[in-house]
Coordinates of all heavy atoms in Angstrom, one line a residue:
G55 N 7.1 5.6 15.9 CA 8.0 6.7 16.4 C 8.9 6.1 17.4 O 8.9 4.9 17.8
R56 N 9.8 6.8 17.7 CA 10.9 6.6 18.7 C 10.5 6.0 20.1 O 10.9 5.0 20.6 CB 11.8 7.8 18.9 CG 13.0 7.5 19.9 CD 13.8 8.8 20.1 NE 14.9 8.4 20.9 CZ 16.1 8.3 20.4 NH1 16.4 8.4 19.1 NH2 17.1 8.0 21.2
I57 N 9.4 6.7 20.6 CA 8.8 6.3 22.0 C 8.2 4.8 21.7 O 8.5 4.1 22.7 CB 7.8 7.3 22.4 CG1 8.4 8.6 22.6 CG2 7.0 6.7 23.6 CD1 7.4 9.6 22.8
A58 N 7.5 4.5 20.8 CA 6.8 3.3 20.6 C 8.0 2.2 20.3 O 7.9 1.1 21.1 CB 5.9 3.2 19.4
I59 N 9.0 2.4 19.7 CA 10.1 1.5 19.4 C 10.8 1.2 20.7 O 11.1 0.1 21.1 CB 11.0 1.9 18.4 CG1 10.4 1.9 17.0 CG2 12.3 1.1 18.3 CD1 11.1 2.6 15.9
E60 N 11.2 2.3 21.4 CA 11.8 2.3 22.8 C 11.1 1.4 23.8 O 11.6 0.4 24.4 CB 12.1 3.6 23.3 CG 13.0 3.6 24.6 CD 13.5 4.9 24.9 OE1 13.6 5.9 24.1 OE2 13.7 5.1 26.0
L61 N 9.8 1.6 23.9 CA 8.9 0.8 24.9 C 8.9 -0.5 24.5 O 8.9 -1.4 25.3 CB 7.6 1.4 25.0 CG 7.3 2.8 25.6 CD1 6.0 3.3 25.5 CD2 7.8 2.7 27.0
D62 N 8.8 -0.9 23.2 CA 8.7 -2.3 22.7 C 10.0 -3.0 23.1 O 10.0 -4.1 23.6 CB 8.5 -2.3 21.2 CG 8.2 -3.8 20.8 OD1 7.4 -4.5 21.4 OD2 8.7 -4.2 19.7
L63 N 11.1 -2.4 22.8 CA 12.4 -3.1 23.1 C 12.7 -3.1 24.6 O 13.3 -4.2 24.9 CB 13.6 -2.2 22.5 CG 13.5 -2.3 20.8 CD1 14.7 -1.3 20.3 CD2 13.8 -3.8 20.3
L64 N 12.2 -2.2 25.3 CA 12.4 -2.3 26.8 C 11.6 -3.5 27.3 O 12.1 -4.3 28.2 CB 12.0 -1.1 27.5 CG 12.9 0.2 27.4 CD1 12.3 1.4 28.0 CD2 14.1 -0.2 28.3
Q65 N 10.4 -3.7 26.9 CA 9.7 -4.9 27.2 C 10.3 -6.2 26.9 O 10.0 -7.1 27.5 CB 8.2 -4.8 26.5 CG 7.3 -3.7 27.2 CD 6.0 -3.5 26.4 OE1 5.8 -4.1 25.4 NE2 5.1 -2.8 27.1
K66 N 11.2 -6.2 25.9 CA 11.8 -7.4 25.4 C 13.1 -7.6 26.2 O 13.8 -8.5 26.0 CB 12.0 -7.3 24.0 CG 10.7 -7.4 23.3 CD 11.1 -7.4 21.7 CE 9.7 -7.3 21.0 NZ 9.4 -8.1 19.9
G67 N 13.3 -6.7 27.2 CA 14.5 -6.9 28.1 C 15.9 -6.3 27.5 O 16.8 -6.5 28.1
I68 N 15.8 -5.3 26.7 CA 16.9 -4.8 26.1 C 17.2 -3.4 26.9 O 16.3 -2.7 27.2 CB 16.8 -4.4 24.6 CG1 16.7 -5.7 23.8 CG2 18.2 -3.6 24.1 CD1 16.2 -5.4 22.4
S69 N 18.5 -3.3 27.2 CA 18.9 -2.2 28.1 C 18.5 -0.8 27.5 O 18.7 -0.6 26.3 CB 20.3 -2.2 28.6 OG 21.2 -1.8 27.5
K70 N 18.0 0.1 28.3 CA 17.7 1.5 27.9 C 19.0 2.3 27.2 O 18.8 2.8 26.2 CB 17.2 2.3 29.0 CG 16.7 3.6 28.6 CD 16.0 4.4 29.7 CE 15.5 5.8 29.4 NZ 14.2 5.7 28.6
E71 N 20.2 2.0 27.7 CA 21.4 2.7 27.3 C 21.6 2.2 25.9 O 22.0 2.9 24.9 CB 22.6 2.4 28.1 CG 22.5 3.1 29.5 CD 21.6 2.3 30.5 OE1 21.3 1.1 30.3 OE2 21.1 2.9 31.4
F72 N 21.5 0.9 25.6 CA 21.8 0.3 24.3 C 20.7 0.8 23.3 O 21.1 1.1 22.1 CB 21.8 -1.3 24.4 CG 22.1 -1.8 23.0 CD1 23.3 -1.7 22.5 CD2 21.0 -2.4 22.3 CE1 23.6 -2.4 21.3 CE2 21.3 -3.0 21.0 CZ 22.6 -3.1 20.5
I73 N 19.4 0.9 23.6 CA 18.4 1.2 22.8 C 18.6 2.8 22.4 O 18.5 3.0 21.2 CB 17.1 1.2 23.6 CG1 16.7 -0.3 23.8 CG2 15.9 1.9 22.7 CD1 15.4 -0.6 24.7
E74 N 18.9 3.5 23.3 CA 19.1 5.0 23.0 C 20.3 5.2 22.1 O 20.3 6.0 21.1 CB 19.4 5.8 24.2 CG 18.1 6.0 25.2 CD 18.3 6.8 26.4 OE1 19.4 7.3 26.6 OE2 17.3 6.8 27.2
E75 N 21.5 4.4 22.3 CA 22.6 4.5 21.4 C 22.2 4.1 20.0 O 22.6 4.9 19.0 CB 23.7 3.6 22.0 CG 25.0 3.7 21.2 CD 26.1 2.8 21.9 OE1 26.1 2.8 23.0 OE2 26.9 2.3 21.1
V76 N 21.6 3.0 19.8 CA 21.2 2.6 18.5 C 20.2 3.5 17.9 O 20.4 3.8 16.7 CB 20.7 1.1 18.6 CG1 20.1 0.7 17.2 CG2 21.8 0.2 19.0
L77 N 19.1 3.9 18.6 CA 18.1 4.8 18.0 C 18.7 6.1 17.5 O 18.2 6.6 16.5 CB 16.9 5.0 18.9 CG 16.1 3.8 19.2 CD1 15.0 4.0 20.2 CD2 15.6 3.1 17.9
N78 N 19.6 6.6 18.3 CA 20.3 7.9 18.0 C 21.1 7.7 16.5 O 21.1 8.8 15.8 CB 21.2 8.4 18.9 CG 20.5 8.9 20.2 OD1 19.3 9.4 20.2 ND2 21.1 8.9 21.3
L79 N 21.5 6.5 16.3 CA 22.2 6.4 15.1 C 21.2 6.1 13.9 O 21.6 6.5 12.7 CB 23.2 5.2 15.2 CG 24.4 5.4 16.1 CD1 25.2 4.1 16.3 CD2 25.4 6.4 15.7
V80 N 20.1 5.6 14.1 CA 19.4 5.0 13.1 C 18.2 5.8 12.6 O 17.9 6.0 11.5 CB 18.9 3.6 13.5 CG1 17.9 3.0 12.5 CG2 19.9 2.6 13.7
I81 N 17.5 6.5 13.7 CA 16.2 7.0 13.3 C 16.3 8.5 13.1 O 16.9 9.3 13.9 CB 15.2 6.7 14.4 CG1 14.8 5.4 14.5 CG2 13.9 7.6 14.4 CD1 14.0 4.9 15.6
N82 N 15.8 9.0 12.0 CA 15.5 10.4 11.9 C 14.0 10.6 12.0 O 13.2 10.3 11.1 CB 16.0 10.9 10.5 CG 15.7 12.2 10.2 OD1 14.9 13.0 10.8 ND2 16.3 12.9 9.3
E83 N 13.6 10.9 13.3 CA 12.2 10.9 13.4 C 11.4 11.9 12.6 O 10.2 11.7 12.2 CB 12.0 11.3 14.9 CG 12.1 10.2 15.9 CD 11.5 10.4 17.3 OE1 12.2 11.2 18.0 OE2 10.4 10.0 17.6
E84 N 11.9 13.0 12.3 CA 11.2 14.0 11.6 C 10.9 13.5 10.3 O 9.8 13.7 9.8 CB 12.1 15.3 11.5 CG 11.2 16.4 10.9 CD 11.9 17.9 11.0 OE1 12.9 17.9 11.7 OE2 11.5 18.8 10.3
L85 N 11.9 12.9 9.5 CA 11.8 12.3 8.2 C 10.7 11.2 8.3 O 9.9 11.1 7.4 CB 12.9 11.8 7.7 CG 13.0 11.2 6.3 CD1 12.5 12.3 5.3 CD2 14.3 10.7 5.8
A86 N 10.8 10.4 9.4 CA 9.8 9.2 9.5 C 8.3 9.7 9.7 O 7.4 9.3 9.0 CB 10.2 8.4 10.7
A87 N 8.2 10.8 10.5 CA 6.8 11.4 10.8 C 6.3 12.1 9.4 O 5.1 11.9 9.2 CB 6.9 12.2 11.8
K88 N 7.0 12.8 8.7 CA 6.7 13.4 7.6 C 6.3 12.3 6.5 O 5.1 12.6 5.9 CB 7.8 14.2 6.9 CG 8.1 15.5 7.5 CD 9.3 16.3 7.0 CE 9.6 17.5 7.5 NZ 10.7 18.2 7.0
D89 N 7.0 11.2 6.4 CA 6.7 10.2 5.3 C 5.3 9.5 5.9 O 4.4 9.4 4.8 CB 7.8 9.0 5.4 CG 9.0 9.6 4.6 OD1 8.9 10.6 3.9 OD2 10.0 8.9 4.7
I90 N 5.1 9.2 7.0 CA 3.9 8.6 7.4 C 2.7 9.6 7.2 O 1.6 9.2 6.9 CB 4.0 8.2 9.1 CG1 5.0 7.1 9.2 CG2 2.6 7.9 9.6 CD1 5.3 6.8 10.6
L91 N 2.9 10.8 7.6 CA 1.7 11.8 7.4 C 1.5 12.0 6.0 O 0.4 12.2 5.6 CB 2.2 13.2 8.1 CG 1.1 14.3 8.1 CD1 -0.2 13.8 8.7 CD2 1.6 15.5 8.6
E92 N 2.5 12.0 5.1 CA 2.2 12.2 3.7 C 1.4 11.1 3.2 O 0.5 11.3 2.4 CB 3.6 12.2 2.9 CG 3.4 12.5 1.5 CD 3.0 13.9 1.2 OE1 3.4 14.8 1.9 OE2 2.3 14.1 0.3
K93 N 1.6 9.8 3.6 CA 0.9 8.8 3.1 C -0.6 8.7 3.6 O -1.5 8.5 3.0 CB 1.5 7.3 3.5 CG 2.8 7.1 2.8 CD 3.6 5.9 3.4 CE 4.9 5.8 2.7 NZ 5.7 4.7 3.2
K94 N -0.7 9.1 4.9 CA -2.1 9.0 5.5 C -2.8 10.3 5.2 O -4.1 10.2 5.1 CB -2.0 9.0 7.0 CG -3.2 8.7 7.8 CD -3.7 7.4 7.5 CE -4.9 7.2 8.4 NZ -5.5 5.9 8.2
S95 N -2.2 11.3 4.8 CA -3.1 12.6 4.5 C -3.9 12.6 3.3 O -4.9 13.4 3.2 CB -2.1 13.8 4.5 OG -1.2 13.6 3.3
R96 N -3.5 11.6 2.4 CA -4.5 11.5 1.2 C -5.8 11.2 1.6 O -6.8 11.5 0.9 CB -3.9 10.4 0.5 CG -2.5 10.7 -0.2 CD -2.0 9.5 -1.1 NE -0.6 9.7 -1.3 CZ 0.3 8.7 -1.1 NH1 -0.1 7.5 -0.8 NH2 1.6 8.9 -1.4
H97 N -6.0 10.4 2.7 CA -7.4 10.1 3.1 C -8.1 11.3 3.7 O -9.3 11.2 3.9 CB -7.4 9.0 4.2 CG -6.7 7.7 3.6 ND1 -7.2 6.8 2.8 CD2 -5.5 7.2 3.9 CE1 -6.5 5.9 2.4 NE2 -5.4 6.1 3.2
W98 N -7.4 12.4 4.0 CA -8.0 13.4 4.9 C -8.0 14.8 3.9 O -8.1 15.8 4.4 CB -7.1 13.9 6.0 CG -7.1 12.6 7.0 CD1 -8.0 11.7 7.2 CD2 -6.0 12.3 7.9 NE1 -7.5 10.9 8.2 CE2 -6.3 11.2 8.6 CE3 -4.8 12.9 8.1 CZ2 -5.5 10.6 9.5 CZ3 -3.9 12.3 9.1 CH2 -4.3 11.3 9.9
K99 N -7.9 14.6 2.7 CA -7.7 15.8 1.8 C -8.9 16.8 1.8 O -8.8 17.9 1.6 CB -7.3 15.3 0.3 CG -8.4 14.5 -0.3 CD -8.0 14.1 -1.7 CE -8.9 13.1 -2.2 NZ -8.5 12.5 -3.6
N100 N -10.1 16.2 2.1 CA -11.3 17.0 2.1 C -11.7 17.7 3.4 O -12.6 18.4 3.6 CB -12.5 16.3 1.7 CG -12.3 15.9 0.2 OD1 -11.7 16.6 -0.7 ND2 -12.7 14.6 -0.2
L101 N -10.7 17.4 4.4 CA -11.0 18.0 5.8 C -10.6 19.5 5.8 O -9.7 20.0 5.2 CB -10.3 17.3 6.8 CG -10.6 15.8 7.0 CD1 -9.7 15.1 8.1 CD2 -12.0 15.6 7.5
S102 N -11.3 20.2 6.8 CA -10.8 21.5 7.0 C -9.5 21.5 7.7 O -9.0 20.4 8.2 CB -11.8 22.3 8.1 OG -11.7 21.7 9.4
N103 N -8.8 22.7 7.8 CA -7.4 22.7 8.5 C -7.6 22.2 9.9 O -6.7 21.5 10.5 CB -6.9 24.1 8.4 CG -6.3 24.4 7.0 OD1 -6.1 23.5 6.3 ND2 -6.1 25.6 6.8
L104 N -8.5 22.7 10.7 CA -8.8 22.3 12.1 C -8.9 20.8 12.2 O -8.3 20.2 13.0 CB -10.0 23.0 12.6 CG -10.2 22.7 14.2 CD1 -9.2 23.1 15.0 CD2 -11.5 23.5 14.6
E105 N -9.9 20.2 11.4 CA -10.0 18.8 11.5 C -8.9 18.0 11.0 O -8.5 17.0 11.7 CB -11.3 18.4 10.5 CG -12.6 18.7 11.1 CD -12.9 18.1 12.4 OE1 -12.6 16.7 12.5 OE2 -13.3 18.8 13.4
F106 N -8.1 18.4 10.1 CA -6.9 17.9 9.6 C -5.8 17.8 10.7 O -5.2 16.8 11.0 CB -6.3 18.5 8.3 CG -4.9 17.8 7.9 CD1 -5.0 16.7 7.1 CD2 -3.8 18.5 8.3 CE1 -3.8 16.2 6.8 CE2 -2.5 17.9 8.0 CZ -2.6 16.8 7.2
R107 N -5.8 19.0 11.4 CA -4.8 19.2 12.5 C -5.1 18.1 13.6 O -4.2 17.5 14.1 CB -4.8 20.6 13.1 CG -3.8 20.8 14.1 CD -3.8 22.3 14.5 NE -3.4 23.2 13.5 CZ -4.0 24.1 12.9 NH1 -5.2 24.4 13.2 NH2 -3.3 24.9 12.0
K108 N -6.4 18.0 14.0 CA -6.8 17.1 14.9 C -6.4 15.6 14.6 O -5.8 14.8 15.3 CB -8.3 17.2 15.3 CG -8.7 18.4 15.9 CD -10.2 18.5 16.2 CE -10.7 19.7 16.7 NZ -12.1 19.6 16.9
M109 N -6.9 15.3 13.3 CA -6.6 13.9 12.9 C -5.1 13.6 12.8 O -4.7 12.5 13.3 CB -7.2 13.7 11.6 CG -8.8 13.8 11.5 SD -9.6 12.5 12.4 CE -9.4 11.2 11.2
A110 N -4.3 14.4 12.2 CA -2.9 14.2 12.1 C -2.2 14.2 13.3 O -1.3 13.3 13.5 CB -2.3 15.4 11.1
T111 N -2.6 15.0 14.2 CA -1.9 15.2 15.5 C -2.0 13.9 16.3 O -1.2 13.1 16.8 CB -2.3 16.4 16.3 OG1 -2.0 17.5 15.6 CG2 -1.7 16.3 17.7
G112 N -3.3 13.4 16.4 CA -3.7 12.1 17.1 C -3.0 10.9 16.5 O -2.5 10.1 17.2
F113 N -3.1 10.9 15.2 CA -2.5 9.9 14.4 C -1.0 9.6 14.6 O -0.5 8.5 15.0 CB -2.7 10.0 12.8 CG -2.1 9.0 12.0 CD1 -2.7 7.7 11.9 CD2 -1.0 9.1 11.3 CE1 -2.1 6.7 11.1 CE2 -0.3 8.3 10.5 CZ -0.9 7.0 10.4
L114 N -0.2 10.7 14.5 CA 1.2 10.7 14.9 C 1.5 10.4 16.3 O 2.5 9.6 16.7 CB 1.9 11.9 14.4 CG 1.8 12.1 12.8 CD1 2.4 13.5 12.4 CD2 2.7 11.1 12.2
M115 N 0.7 11.0 17.2 CA 1.0 10.7 18.7 C 0.8 9.2 19.0 O 1.5 8.7 19.8 CB 0.0 11.7 19.6 CG 0.3 13.1 19.4 SD 1.9 13.7 20.2 CE 1.5 13.3 21.9
R116 N -0.3 8.7 18.5 CA -0.5 7.3 18.6 C 0.5 6.4 18.1 O 0.7 5.3 18.5 CB -1.8 6.8 18.1 CG -3.0 7.4 19.0 CD -4.4 6.7 18.3 NE -4.6 7.1 17.0 CZ -5.3 8.2 16.6 NH1 -5.6 9.0 17.5 NH2 -5.5 8.4 15.3
R117 N 1.2 6.9 17.2 CA 2.4 6.2 16.6 C 3.7 6.4 17.3 O 4.8 5.8 17.0 CB 2.7 6.5 15.2 CG 1.6 6.3 14.1 CD 1.2 5.1 13.8 NE 0.1 4.6 13.1 CZ -1.2 4.7 13.4 NH1 -1.6 5.5 14.3 NH2 -2.1 4.0 12.7
G118 N 3.7 7.1 18.5 CA 4.8 7.2 19.4 C 5.7 8.3 19.1 O 6.8 8.5 19.6
F119 N 5.3 9.4 18.3 CA 6.1 10.6 18.1 C 5.9 11.6 19.2 O 4.7 11.7 19.7 CB 5.8 11.2 16.8 CG 6.3 10.4 15.6 CD1 5.3 9.7 15.0 CD2 7.5 10.3 15.2 CE1 5.7 8.7 13.8 CE2 8.0 9.4 14.2 CZ 7.1 8.7 13.4
E120 N 6.9 12.4 19.6 CA 6.7 13.4 20.6 C 5.8 14.6 20.1 O 5.9 14.9 18.9 CB 8.1 14.0 21.1 CG 9.0 12.9 21.7 CD 10.2 13.3 22.2 OE1 10.5 14.5 22.1 OE2 11.1 12.5 22.7
Y121 N 5.1 15.2 21.0 CA 4.2 16.2 20.8 C 4.9 17.4 20.0 O 4.4 17.9 19.0 CB 3.5 16.7 21.9 CG 2.5 17.9 21.6 CD1 1.3 17.6 20.9 CD2 2.7 19.1 21.9 CE1 0.5 18.6 20.6 CE2 2.0 20.3 21.7 CZ 0.8 20.0 20.9 OH 0.0 20.9 20.6
S122 N 6.0 17.9 20.6 CA 6.6 19.0 19.9 C 7.1 18.7 18.4 O 6.9 19.7 17.6 CB 8.0 19.3 20.7 OG 8.9 18.3 20.8
L123 N 7.4 17.5 18.2 CA 7.8 17.1 16.7 C 6.5 17.1 15.9 O 6.5 17.6 14.8 CB 8.6 15.8 16.7 CG 8.8 15.4 15.2 CD1 9.7 16.3 14.6 CD2 9.4 13.9 15.3
V124 N 5.4 16.5 16.5 CA 4.1 16.4 15.7 C 3.6 17.7 15.5 O 3.2 17.9 14.3 CB 3.2 15.6 16.6 CG1 1.7 15.6 16.1 CG2 3.7 14.1 16.7
K125 N 3.6 18.6 16.4 CA 3.1 20.0 16.2 C 3.8 20.6 15.1 O 3.2 21.3 14.3 CB 3.2 20.9 17.4 CG 2.5 22.1 17.3 CD 2.6 22.9 18.7 CE 2.1 24.3 18.5 NZ 2.2 25.1 19.7
K126 N 5.1 20.6 15.1 CA 5.9 21.2 14.1 C 5.7 20.6 12.7 O 5.5 21.4 11.8 CB 7.4 20.9 14.4 CG 8.4 21.5 13.5 CD 9.9 21.3 14.0 CE 10.8 20.9 12.9 NZ 12.0 20.6 13.4
I127 N 5.6 19.4 12.5 CA 5.4 18.8 11.2 C 4.0 19.0 10.7 O 3.8 19.3 9.6 CB 5.6 17.2 11.3 CG1 7.2 17.0 11.5 CG2 5.1 16.5 10.1 CD1 7.5 15.5 11.8
V128 N 3.0 19.0 11.6 CA 1.5 19.2 11.1 C 1.4 20.6 10.7 O 0.8 21.0 9.6 CB 0.6 18.8 12.2 CG1 -0.8 19.3 11.9 CG2 0.6 17.3 12.5
E129 N 2.0 21.6 11.5 CA 1.8 22.9 11.0 C 2.6 23.2 9.8 O 2.2 23.9 8.9 CB 2.5 23.9 12.2 CG 1.6 23.9 13.4 CD 0.3 24.3 13.1 OE1 0.0 25.2 12.3 OE2 -0.7 23.7 13.7
K130 N 3.8 22.6 9.6 CA 4.6 22.7 8.3 C 3.7 22.2 7.0 O 3.6 22.8 6.0 CB 5.8 22.0 8.3 CG 6.9 22.9 8.9 CD 8.2 22.1 8.9 CE 9.4 22.8 9.5 NZ 10.6 21.9 9.4
Y131 N 3.0 21.0 7.4 CA 2.3 20.4 6.3 C 1.2 21.3 5.9 O 0.8 21.4 4.7 CB 1.8 19.1 6.8 CG 1.1 18.2 5.7 CD1 2.0 17.5 5.0 CD2 -0.1 18.3 5.4 CE1 1.5 16.6 3.9 CE2 -0.6 17.5 4.4 CZ 0.2 16.7 3.7 OH -0.3 16.0 2.6
I132 N 0.4 21.9 6.9 CA -0.7 22.6 6.7 C -0.4 23.9 5.9 O -0.9 24.3 4.9 CB -1.5 23.1 7.9 CG1 -2.2 21.8 8.4 CG2 -2.4 24.1 7.7 CD1 -2.8 22.0 9.8
T133 N 0.8 24.6 6.3 CA 1.3 25.8 5.7 C 1.7 25.5 4.2 O 1.3 26.2 3.4 CB 2.5 26.4 6.4 OG1 2.1 26.6 7.8 CG2 2.9 27.6 5.8
V134 N 2.4 24.4 4.0 CA 2.7 24.1 2.6 C 1.6 23.6 1.7 O 1.7 24.1 0.5 CB 3.9 22.8 2.7 CG1 4.2 22.4 1.3 CG2 5.2 23.3 3.3
D135 N 0.7 23.0 2.3 CA -0.5 22.5 1.6 C -1.3 23.6 1.1 O -2.0 23.7 0.0 CB -1.4 21.5 2.4 CG -2.3 20.7 1.5 OD1 -1.8 20.3 0.4 OD2 -3.4 20.5 2.1
I136 N -1.5 24.7 1.9 CA -2.3 25.9 1.6 C -1.8 26.7 0.5 O -2.3 27.1 -0.3 CB -2.5 26.7 2.9 CG1 -3.4 25.9 3.9 CG2 -3.2 28.1 2.6 CD1 -3.6 26.6 5.3
S137 N -0.3 26.8 0.5 CA 0.3 27.7 -0.3 C 0.4 27.2 -1.8 O 0.2 26.1 -2.1 CB 1.8 27.9 0.1 OG 1.9 28.4 1.5

């Protein structure tokens, strides 16, 4: 996610302003998180909605996505998957 990329680049000495400018042009975080969740969710297909929500939220948060985005994507995924 964006946070993980930003931290990695800051540790390498790249200026915060440059990182933000480039990331704003390049990354569509919502699409990236959806793609990652889609691939990983195959392993969790037998979990209850509550367990899936816990696993998916933790997984995406550890990948550097912001909580508000993670919550939105996980809820959409559960809603679409149930329907």
Side-chain angles (χ1 to χ4, degrees):
R56 182 184 184 98
I57 296 170
I59 293 170
E60 189 172 332
L61 289 175
D62 188 45
L63 293 174
L64 283 171
Q65 289 176 349
K66 293 179 187 226
I68 299 172
S69 74
K70 186 171 180 77
E71 295 79 23
F72 182 73
I73 293 169
E74 288 180 11
E75 185 178 323
V76 171
L77 290 180
N78 287 337
L79 294 173
V80 174
I81 293 182
N82 179 342
E83 278 195 284
E84 187 169 350
L85 183 57
K88 283 179 184 177
D89 287 345
I90 292 170
L91 182 59
E92 184 69 35
K93 291 175 187 172
K94 187 68 174 177
S95 67
R96 294 180 196 135
H97 301 286
W98 302 327
K99 62 183 173 187
N100 295 324
L101 296 177
S102 69
N103 284 342
L104 180 61
E105 286 298 313
F106 178 85
R107 185 177 284 117
K108 287 180 189 177
M109 296 291 286
T111 299
F113 177 75
L114 291 172
M115 294 290 296
R116 286 188 299 277
R117 298 292 168 300
F119 294 101
E120 294 181 11
Y121 178 73
S122 58
L123 177 65
V124 169
K125 182 178 177 187
K126 177 177 144 184
I127 290 171
V128 171
E129 291 303 317
K130 278 185 183 178
Y131 191 88
I132 289 172
T133 304
V134 169
D135 196 42
I136 293 172
S137 302

